Amino acid sequence: MSTTPHRQALIIGASRGLGLVLADELARRGWRVIATTRRTGGELQAGAAARNGQLRVESLEMTSPEQLAALRGRLEGCRLDLLFVNAAIDRGDLPISEVPAEMFTEVMITNALSPLRALEALRGLVAPGGTVAVMSSEQGSISRNTEGGYELYKASKAALNQLMRSYATRHADDGHAKLLIDPGHNRTRLGGPDAPLAPEESIPAVVDVLEAQAGSPGLQFLDRHGETVPW
């Protein structure tokens, strides 16, 4: 009988879409998963009930430093092999000149600032050789920004990528694999109903990448095939 301990992951933002499928896929592969949601009930809670303790649900509003600190306290003593932050919002396709300041602030706080706050608050739980990852997007690639549209969302993902570069520089000696993941254009509330991919198609490939990169220190920006996305 194997004595290998279960791998454990914390997924921030798993109530629906990519995060929900990610939590379920990891659990299906034998990981123990802690998944956060802002609301009780729903598909995540139902999935946890069906997993017989393998999937645990925690409440978190990621944009709240107080709630992040409280979650960190509740998880004291946990050993994580993977910390994955999946959270993003989009407020429509407006040219930047028409974006209200309040909308700009909301999107930047949610998509760029809060994921890095989450990493900083929770990175101490990640085991040596573990992985910290954030769901990014090809739309955050400056060099690939050759088509119009969704200027605020693109800017927020580019800011996320830049902040992750700073994070990786500051924590260069911690031994953690650090990943920005582009899952492709998926049919989610964010991606819209006409996107070419379903999360059930893309997320197993994303998990393949996460598992393949475990134990590889340093920062990479990768797509769901494990290919490098240009900055």
Side-chain angles (χ1 to χ4, degrees):
M1 184 174 64
S2 173
T3 59
T4 302
H6 284 280
R7 294 169 295 178
Q8 183 158 246
L10 171 59
I11 310 301
I12 305 295
S15 61
R16 62 175 186 264
L18 295 172
L20 178 65
V21 178
L22 176 61
D24 185 70
E25 177 66 16
L26 287 167
R28 189 187 67 79
R29 297 189 188 200
W31 289 67
R32 294 193 184 280
V33 179
I34 305 165
T36 75
T37 178
R38 292 179 297 165
R39 304 176 185 86
T40 58
E43 290 183 71
L44 181 62
Q45 199 71 55
R51 288 287 180 185
N52 298 316
Q54 193 175 359
L55 175 58
R56 166 182 165 189
V57 179
E58 287 282 350
S59 176
L60 177 68
E61 170 50 70
M62 186 186 66
T63 61
S64 166
E66 294 77 17
Q67 289 197 28
L68 277 171
L71 177 65
R72 176 63 174 82
R74 294 197 300 274
L75 298 181
E76 186 64 42
C78 283
R79 176 189 181 278
L80 300 176
D81 300 287
L82 170 65
L83 168 60
F84 196 111
V85 180
N86 169 64
I89 59 172
D90 176 37
R91 291 296 182 251
D93 186 9
L94 295 173
I96 200 67
S97 60
E98 297 178 14
V99 171
E102 296 81 3
M103 182 187 295
F104 183 90
T105 301
E106 178 193 23
V107 171
M108 285 292 184
I109 287 175
T110 303
N111 292 5
L113 176 61
S114 294
L116 270 296
R117 279 180 170 171
L119 291 189
E120 293 287 6
L122 299 165
R123 62 180 297 275
L125 301 173
V126 181
T131 300
V132 295
V134 180
M135 197 75 84
S136 186
S137 170
E138 182 188 37
Q139 293 197 68
S141 169
I142 292 175
S143 61
R144 287 189 177 175
N145 184 12
T146 58
E147 297 180 4
Y150 296 93
E151 295 177 21
L152 176 55
Y153 181 78
K154 289 176 179 177
S156 72
K157 287 299 187 179
L160 170 69
N161 293 351
Q162 182 73 291
L163 290 172
M164 192 64 176
R165 287 293 295 260
S166 296
Y167 173 94
T169 299
R170 193 158 14 90
H171 298 300
D173 298 327
D174 65 7
H176 292 160
K178 303 173 182 71
L179 300 173
L180 287 157
I181 297 291
D182 166 33
H185 188 189
N186 283 264
R187 292 189 292 275
T188 62
R189 185 177 298 185
L190 185 67
D194 299 324
L197 293 170
E200 292 77 12
E201 298 173 272
S202 61
I203 287 300
V206 166
V207 177
D208 288 343
V209 173
L210 295 172
E211 293 184 332
Q213 294 300 324
S216 301
L219 176 64
Q220 298 182 80
F221 185 10
L222 303 176
D223 66 16
R224 69 186 187 281
H225 305 297
E227 298 297 325
T228 298
V229 182
W231 297 95

